Amino acid sequence: MLLLPALVPVLVFSVGPLVYGILLAFTDARSGRNAETSFVGLENFAELLSDGDFWESFRIGMIWGLSVTVLQFLASLGLALLLNQDLRLRGVARVLAVVPWAMPPVVVGLMWRLVYHPDAGLLNGLFGSDVDWLHDFSLALPAVIVVGVWTGMPQTTVVLLAGLQSVPRELYEAVSVDGAGAWRRFWNVTLPQLRPVVVAITSLDFVWNINQFSLVYVLTQGGPGGRTRLPMLFAYEEGFRYGFFGYAATLGVAITIVVLAVLGLYLWRQAREGD
């Protein structure tokens, strides 16, 4: 009863839309005045399986999600190890490391559009080039991945830093007595102690990254030629540009199932290795 006031908003704003979206996936709902909606069963899912645009979007989304998650973790781990040292102005450095996380995705997207600008961009100014990073068919996706890593790195760094600070100092002292160097201390003590934290934060990062929308939409709107059209962008176009709400809901349900399957496999393997 005490939790009920907190549970009501969750039910209204999270569970309610989720259930409605699942139900919508089994209809032919579309935009338009006086448009009739009827139950179509699994027709939307059958159409989805034969939709080449969806599979291309799914492929791009998996490349994006896995690349950003892995690079984000590696960069964050290095930064967390650095911030865990007794450095001068360590507190200021920790605050500055969180700044990208505090910025709204739209602001981050606009800022990086200026960085990537072909004529007046900071990146081309540094390299003395005139590359159109966000409109080049081969460079657009890597450029967007870099922004994704930069944006999500602070939150992962904070979590990993908290994990590092919870490692007992006695373990480092014990292996140091045995003559272990910095690499052996990291490999035999730090990584095993961080394992639960790593599994948790990489799982969350993958879910957040695969569902990314606003950042990529501001940067490229899915272009050029669909090279950065993530699954959520594809669902947005189907629903709000073309008005196929039922089909867009089907895309959302399908992506949710795939993400849960990949995440479940990953957690299962981690659990087996831990045992």
Side-chain angles (χ1 to χ4, degrees), residues 141-158:
L141 184 57
V144 172
I145 288 173
V146 169
V147 182
V149 172
W150 184 86
T151 304
M153 193 171 65
Q155 64 196 22
T156 308
T157 300
V158 170

Side-chain angles (χ1 to χ4, degrees), residues 168-180 184-185 189:
R169 292 293 174 186
E170 294 80 6
L171 296 178
Y172 291 114
E173 294 172 0
V175 295
S176 297
V177 171
D178 293 336
R184 282 188 60 193
R185 290 198 301 269
V189 176

Side-chain angles (χ1 to χ4, degrees), residues 41-111:
L42 298 176
E43 288 185 12
N44 287 334
F45 291 92
E47 182 180 350
L48 190 67
L49 292 175
S50 60
D51 190 341
D53 291 335
F54 164 72
W55 287 111
E56 177 64 15
S57 174
F58 176 74
R59 183 187 69 84
I60 294 172
M62 291 302 294
I63 293 174
W64 154 271
L66 293 173
S67 299
V68 173
T69 301
V70 172
L71 295 176
Q72 202 168 277
F73 167 71
L74 294 176
S76 300
L77 180 60
L79 184 58
L81 289 170
L82 179 63
L83 294 177
N84 196 42
Q85 305 301 314
D86 293 327
L87 302 175
R88 184 178 298 179
L89 301 176
R90 182 174 59 177
V92 176
R94 289 178 177 177
V95 173
L96 293 177
V98 185
V99 170
W101 189 24
M103 298 173 65
V106 174
V107 176
V108 173
L110 292 173
M111 182 185 73

